Amino acid sequence: MAAATDVILTTCPRDCYDACGIVVRIADGAIAQVRGDPHHPVNRGTLCVKCSTGYNNEWRDPAVRLTRPLRRTGTKGSGAFTPISWDEAIATVTERLKRIEADGAAHTVLNAHYSGTLSLIAYAFPMRFFHRLGATEVEPDSICNLAGHVALAYVYGTSVDGFDPRTVAEAACVVVWGANPAASGPHTFKHWFREAPGAKIVVDPLRTETARAADLHLQPFPGSDAALAFALLHVLRRDGLLDRAFIANHTTGWDELEPLLDGCDPAWGAAITGVPAALIERAAHLYGRGPSLLWLGQGLQRQRTGGNVVRACAVLPAVTGNLGKPGAGLLYLNGFAAPGPDEGYVTASHLSRGVPAISHMDLADALADPAQARALVCWNMNVAASAPRQRELRAALRREDLFTVAIDLFQTDTADFADVVLPAASFLEFDDLVTPYFQMMLSAQVKATEPLGESLPNQEIFRRLARGMGYAEPELYESDEEIIATVLRAAGLVEDFATLAARGSVPVFAEPRVQFADLAFPTPSGRIEIASARAERDGQPRTPLPLADPRPAHGRLRLLSPASGFTMNDSFANVAKLARRAGPPSVALHPADASARGLREGDEALLSNDAGSLRLRVTVAEDVPRGVAYSAKGRWPKREASGANVNVLNDGQKTDMGDSSSVHSVEVVVRRVVG
Ligand SMILES: Nc1nc2c(c(=O)[nH]1)N[C@H]1C(S)=C(S)[C@@H](COP(=O)(O)OP(=O)(O)OC[C@H]3O[C@@H](n4cnc5c(=O)[nH]c(N)nc54)[C@H](O)[C@@H]3O)O[C@H]1N2
Ligand SMILES: Nc1nc2c(c(=O)[nH]1)N[C@H]1C(S)=C(S)[C@@H](COP(=O)(O)OP(=O)(O)OC[C@H]3O[C@@H](n4cnc5c(=O)[nH]c(N)nc54)[C@H](O)[C@@H]3O)O[C@H]1N2
Ligand code: SF4
Ligand SMILES: [Mo]
């Protein structure tokens, strides 16, 4: 803790492309203000509206934060709790877990966690406890981006070694496909995308703010992107824009895919995707001439065949030689690219008992079944707001014989269903490391103040739980200082934490790094696998296919519920000023779809399907294409008049790869509410 100074540099650890630099001003030993670091290359002095509001209000407000452990006194979901001591809380939780363990049923403890904070230790260290216990992990990425990870691993052998965003200076063309950084990474949008010197192409069914800032906006119908990629490949081949030498030297399986292109001309592409043929041609020419960067967003793959979509898109750089040179490459997410300690060090994966994980798409069913779930520990996550099948999930969380522990900063919907609620400290209250997933940097999270009330960092909570269980493994008690020192030593970027804290962030590479500069790919063949034997063994087609998901039938609409600029997933939904600015829950419809249903701006509409129903205020907007409805994610069910959010409509259908979320493929009937 940099106690002697009155200004502390730290980093925002939210699940955000930006990972902004933060300046905390301390006066009289207390935080006076949290604001953007003017010297940070990503955010250049500002924070987004969420964090500049939340971090200066509710996140530091003891009347809003959880400050003490709580034990449930009312019925599940009622939100009636009484404060208890940490000792009593740890004893209550560990007595119950020990009983389950003694029955040989540790696998019936479900561990649901995700991205409440992405700081390294608070995100990963608790896994040491769950590995030792032998709990069942609810695979975190299965609610977000697993289809894309699986798809890219087939083609490139990795999904976390993306282009260095700084190489944008040398790119003649930048394609943002199925991401909306104007909401999901606002400084990346403002500075990286808007200031990019090359031509900008955005591929998104919605006319987002990102799309409005592009030179070319392609609006495929949701779930039709693989067909669009094939139409682009058709044009690239027809017009001599393939790099045949690169294909011959660095890829396998092009001969299997190439014949599929014959039927994929722009007219076919236009008919199947809705993107005019002329736009397909222009985009192919801009991209193919290159050098081009291709950013594949996470929204792109939340479709029933999202894995096939990402595989198809990933062929584009491979056949145009848009790899291994400055200004070229593709990005899904960037992992920590510096040489670090062994993967699995922070989670102590060697302690794992090998219990298979389950998908978030199966969580509601698992929780409803006493044979699968005797306990749920939910931390860094608010499943009652973010997970699919909200109705069934909430019913399952009411099970009297399910023992639920929620760990959070706030009394969320999930916490309302808990037997024991444990208060987590915020990122302003402990040291940690942040490894951004867009820019290649290593950043410090620096303690600026003591934890609020009796709250504790996740890692300390799990050390206490390990002690309560009577576990002996030293990994379960390793201190933050030791972990930080081990990681920094292995990374070799700075001398120690104090040095990093003084600088805020350091680049992993001094100069912009050329992605795949050695043109060696971590696939079985060492080449880019356009056709994949591994995929085939997993029951997938050998190559990506020119498919589009079927259009909705019977007057239904495809419902997209991506990121909103006012919330971070479901975080900040309880920040009063932001909630006022976000307004009532709404759905945006194309004017033709609205009028076909007798709906006008401001009307109430009922959205329904087999999963559930939800009343929303209608806005009418040309930004939404015909056949599509848009309603942003990120609201707390308990703050809504209906007691539900958009996930009550999410039926939890799995993607073709990774058993992951296909939330953007949900279909709904939209009707006018009369009276
Ligand atoms: N309809 C719809 N649903 C979606 C999506 C969508 O696009 N549409 N997107 C999905 C995606 S991509 C994701 S990643 C998930 C995210 O879903 P969640 O992970 O549930 O959402 P978050 O709001 O990121 O974080 C959850 C909680 O972590 C808490 N938290 C913050 N910091 C800490 C900490 O240090 N310790 C602890 N213990 N808790 C902390 C926050 O207060 C918050 O309540 O939602 C998914 N749900
Ligand atoms: N403010 C804010 N920032 C966030 C988040 C947040 O909730 N709020 N969430 C964080 C998290 S957890 C994640 S995973 C990322 C997600 O951020 P992004 O990667 O940007 O993904 P999404 O917001 O889900 O969706 C992005 C776009 O994909 C489009 N899309 C949906 N279906 C399709 C399709 O079939 N084809 C194409 N081409 N596009 C499609 C949507 O219309 C949307 O505009 O953002 C992170 N940043
Ligand atoms: S949520 Fe994203 S944009 Fe907002 S301050 Fe944090 S890192 Fe920056
Ligand atoms: Mo996510």
Side-chain angles (χ1 to χ4, degrees), residues 114 116 302 380 382 386 407-408 458 561 569-571 633 647:
Y114 206 20
R302 284 184 206 128
N380 267 357
N382 179 6
S386 58
I407 308 177
D408 207 294
N458 291 345
S561 55
N569 297 319
D570 308 291
S571 303
K633 68 170 160 179
N647 279 316

Side-chain angles (χ1 to χ4, degrees), residues 17 176-186 189 202-204 206-212 295 297-299 562-565 630:
Y17 292 98
V176 177
W177 196 325
N180 178 22
S184 60
F189 168 68
V202 166
V203 188
D204 196 310
L206 301 175
R207 191 149 179 86
T208 60
E209 195 185 341
T210 310
R212 281 197 289 274
W295 172 0
Q298 299 172 77
S564 143
Y630 161 80

Side-chain angles (χ1 to χ4, degrees), residues 141 144-152 301 303 306-307 310 332 655-658 660-661:
D141 287 346
C144 176
N145 55 22
L146 194 52
H149 282 305
V150 173
L152 289 170
Q301 47 88 64
Q303 294 290 346
V310 170
Y332 188 46
T655 48
D656 52 351
M657 294 173 200
S660 195
S661 167

Side-chain angles (χ1 to χ4, degrees), residues 14-15 59 114-117 122 143-144 302 379-383 386-387 407-410 412 424-427 430 458 561-563 568-571 633 636 646-647 650 663-664:
R14 304 276 74 78
D15 188 346
W59 281 61
Y114 206 20
S115 56
T117 184
I143 203 167
C144 176
R302 284 184 206 128
W379 55 283
N380 267 357
M381 187 159 204
N382 179 6
V383 287
S386 58
I407 308 177
D408 207 294
L409 275 69
F410 300 103
T412 61
S426 91
F427 78 107
F430 60 99
N458 291 345
S561 55
M568 165 52 59
N569 297 319
D570 308 291
S571 303
K633 68 170 160 179
W636 280 13
V646 70
N647 279 316
N650 181 356
V663 62
H664 297 327

Side-chain angles (χ1 to χ4, degrees), residues 411-630:
Q411 185 68 31
T412 61
D413 280 82
T414 308
D416 279 353
F417 287 98
D419 296 279
V420 175
V421 178
L422 302 176
S426 91
F427 78 107
L428 296 167
E429 297 157 7
F430 60 99
D431 291 341
D432 208 333
L433 298 172
V434 176
T435 58
Y437 59 76
F438 190 71
Q439 295 287 348
M440 294 167 158
M441 293 193 296
L442 175 64
S443 306
Q445 173 182 306
V446 181
K447 179 172 178 174
T449 185
E450 290 302 321
L452 199 68
E454 295 178 16
S455 67
L456 294 172
N458 291 345
Q459 54 269 38
E460 181 54 25
I461 294 174
F462 283 94
R463 286 188 197 102
R464 292 188 183 196
L465 287 169
R467 211 168 290 122
M469 295 298 286
Y471 292 155
E473 289 76 3
E475 295 91 327
L476 301 172
Y477 306 100
E478 194 176 9
S479 71
D480 292 0
E481 294 74 21
E482 285 174 84
I483 296 171
I484 290 173
T486 303
V487 173
L488 290 184
R489 221 173 14 251
L493 296 170
V494 285
E495 210 173 298
D496 55 17
F497 188 69
T499 315
L500 185 63
R503 292 176 62 185
S505 290
V506 292
V508 174
F509 304 100
E511 295 300 321
R513 168 176 170 265
V514 173
Q515 184 190 21
F516 297 127
D518 56 5
L519 295 171
F521 301 91
T523 53
S525 64
R527 291 163 168 244
I528 301 166
E529 299 198 345
I530 295 168
S532 163
R534 266 195 303 183
E536 193 177 30
R537 275 199 301 279
D538 292 347
Q540 301 289 344
R542 277 180 59 80
T543 66
L545 298 174
L547 303 174
D549 291 345
R551 299 277 175 117
H554 312 300
R556 289 185 303 220
L557 302 177
R558 287 290 283 270
L559 176 64
L560 303 182
S561 55
S564 143
F566 291 114
T567 55
M568 165 52 59
N569 297 319
D570 308 291
S571 303
F572 302 105
N574 62 333
V575 171
K577 276 188 200 157
L578 294 170
R580 270 199 299 280
R581 285 187 62 178
S586 64
V587 60
L589 304 174
H590 186 272
D593 285 327
S595 75
R597 291 161 180 78
L599 285 163
R600 280 184 308 222
E601 181 84 20
D603 283 352
E604 291 284 310
L606 185 74
L607 280 67
S608 57
N609 59 22
D610 289 344
S613 61
L614 189 66
R615 273 172 83 137
L616 295 170
R617 176 86 52 91
V618 171
T619 60
V620 179
E622 299 271 359
D623 296 342
V624 181
R626 286 201 72 165
V628 174
Y630 161 80

